[in-house]
Amino acid sequence: PNKLGGVIALVMSIAILFLMPLLHTNQSQGLQFYPLNQILFWYMVITIILLTWIGARPIETPYILTGQILTVLYFSYYILNPIISKFWDNLLNN
C-alpha cells in the first residue's frame, strides 16, 4: 500500500541482480557442489512464483501480509546464499 516503499523495493530487487556477479566468490562455479544452495535456489523459485501470484491479487488484508513476508524471504535469499556458500567452502576445505 505504500508507494514509496514499493518503488524502493522494486529498485533494490533489480539492483541486487546487478550486484550478484560481483559478490560471487565461491571456489566452485556450479551449484552441484553446494547442496544447501540447491535447496535455497528452489526456495527462491517458489518465492518468485508466489510473489508473482500475490502481485495479481487485490490489495486486501491477507494478501498484504503475505506479500510483505514473501518480500522479506526474497531479499533474505541474497543474504543467505553467500553465507551458506562460504560455510560450505570452509567445511570442504577443512
Side-chain angles (χ1 to χ4, degrees):
N2 185 352
K3 290 188 186 271
L4 179 61
V7 170
I8 291 172
L10 177 68
V11 169
M12 290 301 295
S13 67
I14 300 300
I16 205 162
L17 294 175
F18 285 111
L19 292 175
M20 282 303 289
L22 301 174
L23 299 175
H24 180 75
T25 59
N26 299 348
Q27 292 180 356
S28 296
Q29 294 297 321
L31 283 179
Q32 66 268 21
F33 301 112
Y34 299 100
L36 293 176
N37 289 57
Q38 291 175 358
I39 295 169
L40 202 60
F41 169 77
W42 289 110
Y43 147 84
M44 180 65 168
V45 169
I46 292 170
T47 303
I48 290 173
I49 291 170
L50 288 174
L51 275 170
T52 303
W53 175 74
I54 285 293
R57 302 288 111 209
I59 301 174
E60 294 177 354
T61 303
Y63 302 123
I64 293 172
L65 181 61
T66 306
Q68 290 171 344
I69 291 169
L70 288 171
T71 301
V72 169
L73 292 176
Y74 174 82
F75 285 109
S76 70
Y77 169 80
Y78 296 106
I79 295 169
L80 290 175
N81 192 29
I83 292 171
I84 292 175
S85 295
K86 290 291 183 195
F87 170 75
W88 200 257
D89 283 339
N90 289 338
L91 188 67
L92 290 177
N93 287 335
N94 291 331

